[in-house]
Amino acid sequence: RELAIGISSNGTLLLTNGDAAGALKLYEEALPIYAVLARDDSANQNAQRDLVLGWRDVGAALYQTGQPDRGRPYFDRTYPRLQEFIAAEPTSFYNRRQLINTHLKHAAGALRCELSDEHAAHARAALATAEELLQDFPENPVARSSLATARLAFARALEPTRPVEALRLYEASLAGWRQLEQAGTLRGLDAKRPAEVEAAIARLTAG
């Protein structure tokens, strides 16, 4: 398991740095390992979840390399299994956050492939799930970050056709990031989010 996680982590690093093709290669290398572990220990929740998130990672990388028709079946397999995990552990923060992340990755991939309806559908789903998560974990900074990210994603989806609603979401997203910034919990890639959202607000309010 550690080997597969290490391979996947390197894939995520490549994807973050813009090398989607390299990430896809590593994700596809890790996936058979996850599949064997899940097959050999069907009662192990971690092994089953690793496989499902492996599907998601391959699907996301396929979208980012411009192959949505190949990537979509991986996402289609991921969602029902994540819902099963949530049904089995309804109070699990981790499973619900992974569902949000999956919708966000799907939305980002659809945006990359200029699939506007698919982009909007999954950004909306991420937002709905993130709102529910924050209701149940109101003091959790990761839940707050997830909501701010989902608002940003859905605002991007709405901007071309519903700019007034997009602006409201951008402003709400910025308020969330600022709260995290003031609390000292805005780190890593998220530290760039306030400037990104401010630019979007300026773009919509120009003129």
Side-chain angles (χ1 to χ4, degrees):
R1 183 181 184 227
E2 288 74 16
L3 173 62
I5 289 174
I7 295 170
S8 295
S9 296
N10 287 334
T12 300
L13 183 61
L14 290 178
L15 192 63
T16 301
N17 290 324
D19 183 2
L24 176 60
K25 183 178 179 181
L26 290 178
Y27 288 148
E28 289 181 328
E29 183 180 337
L31 191 58
I33 302 173
Y34 289 135
V36 169
L37 293 171
R39 181 198 66 198
D40 291 348
D41 194 354
S42 59
N44 187 313
Q45 187 82 342
N46 287 331
Q48 302 307 312
R49 189 163 46 214
D50 287 344
L51 174 60
V52 171
L53 297 182
W55 294 338
R56 178 194 69 188
D57 289 342
V58 171
L62 283 166
Y63 269 77
Q64 291 298 331
T65 54
Q67 304 177 74
D69 289 342
R70 287 188 60 208
R72 196 172 291 112
Y74 285 97
F75 278 116
D76 289 344
R77 283 200 287 177
T78 299
Y79 291 116
R81 292 301 307 279
L82 285 175
Q83 293 288 4
E84 288 175 13
F85 298 150
I86 292 168
E89 298 180 88
T91 61
S92 169
F93 181 90
Y94 181 82
N95 289 333
R96 292 163 69 184
R97 185 177 176 232
Q98 290 305 322
L99 180 59
I100 296 168
N101 288 346
T102 300
H103 281 299
L104 288 171
K105 288 175 183 288
H106 197 160
L111 177 62
R112 163 72 175 76
C113 296
E114 299 181 349
L115 301 168
S116 58
D117 289 346
E118 196 169 337
H119 172 207
H122 289 283
R124 184 186 298 110
L127 178 57
T129 309
E131 288 173 340
E132 292 174 358
L133 187 66
L134 187 61
Q135 286 179 357
D136 292 341
F137 299 91
E139 303 303 322
N140 190 305
V142 177
R144 291 183 178 277
S145 173
S146 293
L147 180 57
T149 304
R151 282 171 169 163
L152 173 58
F154 195 35
R156 285 179 180 145
L158 293 179
E159 185 174 344
T161 57
R162 293 153 64 184
V164 174
E165 292 177 57
L167 179 59
R168 286 200 294 265
L169 279 170
Y170 280 132
E171 290 172 341
S173 177
L174 182 60
W177 295 122
R178 290 304 185 203
Q179 287 179 346
L180 291 167
E181 193 173 52
Q182 291 169 6
T185 56
L186 193 61
R187 300 186 180 90
L189 292 175
D190 284 348
K192 301 178 181 179
R193 296 296 193 186
E196 182 182 347
V197 180
E198 285 176 336
I201 292 171
R203 182 174 63 247
L204 280 174
T205 56

